[in-house]
Amino acid sequence: MDILNAGLFSLAAIVLLGSPGPGIAALIAVGREKGFTGGLKFYSGLQIGLAFAAGISAAGLFSVIQTLPVAMTIMTILATLYLLYLAYSIVTAPVGIEPGSTSKRFAGTALGGFLLGVTNPKSYIAFVSLMASYPIINTNASADVTVKWLVCVIVMVVVDILWLWLGVIIQKAGMTARSERLLNITMGSIIAATAFIALI
Protein backbone atom coordinates (compact mmCIF):
# COMPACT_ATOMS: atom_id res chain seq x y z
CA MET A 1 0.00 0.00 0.00
CA ASP A 2 1.26 3.45 -0.95
CA ILE A 3 0.77 5.48 2.25
CA LEU A 4 1.56 8.82 0.57
CA ASN A 5 -1.00 8.24 -2.17
CA ALA A 6 -3.52 7.06 0.43
CA GLY A 7 -3.11 10.35 2.25
CA LEU A 8 -3.34 12.40 -0.94
CA PHE A 9 -6.41 10.45 -2.03
CA SER A 10 -8.10 11.02 1.33
CA LEU A 11 -7.38 14.75 1.12
CA ALA A 12 -8.75 14.91 -2.42
CA ALA A 13 -11.86 13.01 -1.30
CA ILE A 14 -12.47 15.46 1.54
CA VAL A 15 -12.16 18.43 -0.81
CA LEU A 16 -14.31 17.01 -3.62
CA LEU A 17 -16.98 15.29 -1.53
CA GLY A 18 -17.12 17.92 1.19
CA SER A 19 -17.44 20.97 -1.05
CA PRO A 20 -20.85 22.68 -1.42
CA GLY A 21 -23.27 21.07 -3.84
CA PRO A 22 -26.83 19.73 -3.99
CA GLY A 23 -26.35 17.12 -1.27
CA ILE A 24 -24.79 19.53 1.19
CA ALA A 25 -27.36 22.25 0.52
CA ALA A 26 -30.11 19.68 1.12
CA LEU A 27 -28.48 18.43 4.34
CA ILE A 28 -28.31 21.96 5.74
CA ALA A 29 -31.95 22.60 4.77
CA VAL A 30 -33.14 19.31 6.30
CA GLY A 31 -31.13 19.94 9.47
CA ARG A 32 -32.76 23.36 9.82
CA GLU A 33 -36.26 22.05 9.20
CA LYS A 34 -36.23 18.71 11.03
CA GLY A 35 -33.44 19.01 13.57
CA PHE A 36 -30.61 16.51 14.00
CA THR A 37 -32.64 13.43 14.90
CA GLY A 38 -35.35 14.17 12.37
CA GLY A 39 -32.76 14.70 9.63
CA LEU A 40 -31.02 11.36 10.16
CA LYS A 41 -33.41 9.50 7.85
CA PHE A 42 -32.60 11.81 4.94
CA TYR A 43 -28.91 11.66 5.87
CA SER A 44 -28.94 7.84 5.93
CA GLY A 45 -30.74 7.62 2.59
CA LEU A 46 -28.25 10.05 1.08
CA GLN A 47 -25.29 8.01 2.34
CA ILE A 48 -26.69 4.80 0.85
CA GLY A 49 -27.33 6.53 -2.46
CA LEU A 50 -23.85 8.05 -2.56
CA ALA A 51 -22.23 4.74 -1.63
CA PHE A 52 -24.16 3.13 -4.48
CA ALA A 53 -23.02 5.86 -6.89
CA ALA A 54 -19.43 5.44 -5.70
CA GLY A 55 -19.72 1.70 -6.29
CA ILE A 56 -20.99 2.26 -9.83
CA SER A 57 -18.05 4.55 -10.50
CA ALA A 58 -15.54 2.18 -8.88
CA ALA A 59 -16.77 -0.74 -11.00
CA GLY A 60 -16.40 1.32 -14.15
CA LEU A 61 -20.12 1.02 -14.88
CA PHE A 62 -20.61 4.77 -15.18
CA SER A 63 -18.08 4.82 -18.03
CA VAL A 64 -20.14 2.09 -19.72
CA ILE A 65 -23.33 4.10 -19.24
CA GLN A 66 -21.62 7.12 -20.80
CA THR A 67 -21.16 5.14 -24.03
CA LEU A 68 -24.94 4.66 -24.30
CA PRO A 69 -26.45 7.97 -25.50
CA VAL A 70 -30.06 6.99 -24.70
CA ALA A 71 -29.18 5.82 -21.18
CA MET A 72 -27.20 8.99 -20.50
CA THR A 73 -30.04 11.16 -21.80
CA ILE A 74 -32.60 9.40 -19.60
CA MET A 75 -30.32 9.59 -16.56
CA THR A 76 -29.62 13.28 -17.17
CA ILE A 77 -33.33 14.12 -17.53
CA LEU A 78 -34.26 12.21 -14.36
CA ALA A 79 -31.41 13.81 -12.41
CA THR A 80 -32.34 17.28 -13.64
CA LEU A 81 -36.03 16.87 -12.79
CA TYR A 82 -35.26 15.63 -9.30
CA LEU A 83 -32.71 18.36 -8.63
CA LEU A 84 -35.19 21.02 -9.76
CA TYR A 85 -37.85 19.49 -7.51
CA LEU A 86 -35.40 19.48 -4.61
CA ALA A 87 -34.46 23.12 -5.29
CA TYR A 88 -38.15 24.09 -5.33
CA SER A 89 -38.75 22.19 -2.07
CA ILE A 90 -35.93 24.02 -0.32
CA VAL A 91 -36.87 27.47 -1.64
CA THR A 92 -40.49 27.01 -0.55
CA ALA A 93 -39.69 25.32 2.78
CA PRO A 94 -41.40 26.97 5.76
CA VAL A 95 -39.33 29.42 7.79
CA GLY A 96 -39.50 30.46 11.42
CA ILE A 97 -40.17 26.91 12.66
CA GLU A 98 -38.57 24.99 15.49
CA PRO A 99 -36.21 22.07 14.78
CA GLY A 100 -37.88 18.66 14.76
CA SER A 101 -40.67 19.55 12.36
CA THR A 102 -43.00 16.68 11.55
CA SER A 103 -43.11 17.72 7.90
CA LYS A 104 -43.66 14.78 5.53
CA ARG A 105 -42.24 16.54 2.49
CA PHE A 106 -40.78 13.89 0.18
CA ALA A 107 -37.54 15.79 -0.40
CA GLY A 108 -36.59 15.33 3.26
CA THR A 109 -37.30 11.58 3.51
CA ALA A 110 -34.88 8.65 3.42
CA LEU A 111 -36.01 7.80 -0.13
CA GLY A 112 -35.56 11.42 -1.16
CA GLY A 113 -32.01 11.33 0.20
CA PHE A 114 -31.28 8.08 -1.63
CA LEU A 115 -32.54 9.48 -4.94
CA LEU A 116 -30.40 12.58 -4.51
CA GLY A 117 -27.37 10.38 -3.86
CA VAL A 118 -27.80 8.26 -6.98
CA THR A 119 -28.84 11.08 -9.33
CA ASN A 120 -26.41 13.82 -8.28
CA PRO A 121 -24.17 14.56 -11.32
CA LYS A 122 -21.58 16.30 -9.10
CA SER A 123 -21.07 13.08 -7.17
CA TYR A 124 -20.42 10.95 -10.24
CA ILE A 125 -17.92 13.45 -11.60
CA ALA A 126 -16.14 13.46 -8.23
CA PHE A 127 -16.15 9.66 -7.89
CA VAL A 128 -14.89 9.01 -11.42
CA SER A 129 -12.09 11.53 -10.88
CA LEU A 130 -11.15 10.03 -7.53
CA MET A 131 -11.16 6.42 -8.72
CA ALA A 132 -8.73 7.32 -11.51
CA SER A 133 -6.32 9.19 -9.23
CA TYR A 134 -3.58 8.34 -6.71
CA PRO A 135 -3.17 4.54 -6.96
CA ILE A 136 -3.11 3.20 -3.41
CA ILE A 137 -2.50 -0.48 -4.18
CA ASN A 138 -0.47 -0.68 -7.38
CA THR A 139 -0.39 -4.48 -7.60
CA ASN A 140 -4.13 -5.14 -7.51
CA ALA A 141 -6.63 -2.94 -9.37
CA SER A 142 -9.67 -4.50 -7.67
CA ALA A 143 -8.22 -3.99 -4.20
CA ASP A 144 -7.26 -0.44 -5.17
CA VAL A 145 -10.80 0.61 -6.13
CA THR A 146 -12.23 -1.23 -3.12
CA VAL A 147 -10.00 0.72 -0.73
CA LYS A 148 -10.86 3.95 -2.56
CA TRP A 149 -14.57 3.16 -2.29
CA LEU A 150 -14.21 2.57 1.47
CA VAL A 151 -12.31 5.83 1.94
CA CYS A 152 -15.00 7.74 -0.01
CA VAL A 153 -17.76 6.21 2.12
CA ILE A 154 -15.96 7.06 5.37
CA VAL A 155 -15.32 10.64 4.20
CA MET A 156 -18.97 11.10 3.17
CA VAL A 157 -20.33 9.69 6.44
CA VAL A 158 -18.17 12.02 8.55
CA VAL A 159 -18.36 15.17 6.41
CA ASP A 160 -22.10 14.98 5.72
CA ILE A 161 -23.04 14.53 9.38
CA LEU A 162 -21.18 17.78 10.05
CA TRP A 163 -23.17 19.59 7.34
CA LEU A 164 -26.43 18.22 8.79
CA TRP A 165 -25.38 19.51 12.20
CA LEU A 166 -24.57 22.91 10.68
CA GLY A 167 -28.19 23.13 9.57
CA VAL A 168 -29.29 22.51 13.15
CA ILE A 169 -26.89 25.18 14.43
CA ILE A 170 -28.22 27.69 11.90
CA GLN A 171 -31.77 27.01 13.08
CA LYS A 172 -30.75 27.46 16.72
CA ALA A 173 -29.06 30.76 15.84
CA GLY A 174 -32.47 32.44 15.77
CA MET A 175 -32.32 33.91 12.28
CA THR A 176 -35.12 36.18 11.17
CA ALA A 177 -37.71 34.77 8.78
CA ARG A 178 -36.32 37.02 6.03
CA SER A 179 -32.77 35.73 6.58
CA GLU A 180 -33.99 32.13 6.58
CA ARG A 181 -35.86 32.70 3.33
CA LEU A 182 -32.76 34.23 1.72
CA LEU A 183 -30.71 31.25 2.87
CA ASN A 184 -33.29 28.86 1.40
CA ILE A 185 -33.20 30.73 -1.90
CA THR A 186 -29.39 30.57 -1.93
CA MET A 187 -29.31 26.82 -1.28
CA GLY A 188 -32.10 26.18 -3.77
CA SER A 189 -30.21 28.22 -6.37
CA ILE A 190 -27.08 26.12 -5.86
CA ILE A 191 -29.08 22.98 -6.58
CA ALA A 192 -30.87 24.53 -9.57
CA ALA A 193 -27.51 25.61 -10.98
CA THR A 194 -26.25 22.04 -10.63
CA ALA A 195 -29.34 20.81 -12.50
CA PHE A 196 -28.60 23.30 -15.29
CA ILE A 197 -24.96 22.18 -15.50
CA ALA A 198 -26.14 18.56 -15.79
CA LEU A 199 -27.91 19.49 -19.04
CA ILE A 200 -24.80 21.01 -20.64
Side-chain angles (χ1 to χ4, degrees):
M1 177 180 288
D2 189 320
I3 301 300
L4 176 59
N5 276 1
L8 292 172
F9 179 85
S10 299
L11 180 60
I14 292 171
V15 172
L16 286 176
L17 303 178
S19 59
I24 289 172
L27 280 168
I28 294 173
V30 169
R32 286 177 51 237
E33 181 180 355
K34 295 178 176 292
F36 186 76
T37 302
L40 285 177
K41 288 184 178 180
F42 176 84
Y43 164 82
S44 299
L46 179 64
Q47 299 314 301
I48 294 171
L50 288 171
F52 189 75
I56 290 175
S57 302
L61 295 179
F62 187 67
S63 297
V64 174
I65 294 173
Q66 287 180 306
T67 66
L68 304 173
V70 175
M72 277 302 297
T73 299
I74 292 174
M75 184 176 178
T76 299
I77 291 174
L78 291 176
T80 300
L81 289 175
Y82 182 70
L83 288 172
L84 289 175
Y85 164 75
L86 183 63
Y88 172 79
S89 297
I90 290 176
V91 169
T92 60
V95 296
I97 58 175
E98 292 298 319
S101 166
T102 56
S103 170
K104 302 297 183 183
R105 293 156 63 91
F106 173 73
T109 64
L111 180 56
F114 174 79
L115 288 177
L116 176 58
V118 297
T119 61
N120 185 353
K122 175 181 178 289
S123 297
Y124 283 100
I125 293 171
F127 291 136
V128 169
S129 299
L130 286 169
M131 295 304 165
S133 68
Y134 302 113
I136 298 174
I137 302 178
N138 294 296
T139 57
N140 190 320
S142 296
D144 185 58
V145 295
T146 299
V147 169
K148 288 178 176 179
W149 179 83
L150 284 172
V151 171
C152 286
V153 170
I154 292 170
V155 167
M156 291 183 298
V157 166
V158 174
V159 169
D160 286 352
I161 201 73
L162 296 176
W163 285 113
L164 176 66
W165 188 251
L166 176 61
V168 177
I169 292 174
I170 291 173
Q171 177 62 41
K172 292 179 179 295
M175 297 173 64
T176 64
R178 175 183 171 80
S179 296
E180 284 192 51
R181 178 62 65 203
L182 288 174
L183 183 59
N184 283 358
I185 291 173
T186 299
M187 291 187 294
S189 297
I190 291 172
I191 296 175
T194 303
F196 175 75
I197 292 172
L199 289 175
I200 298 176

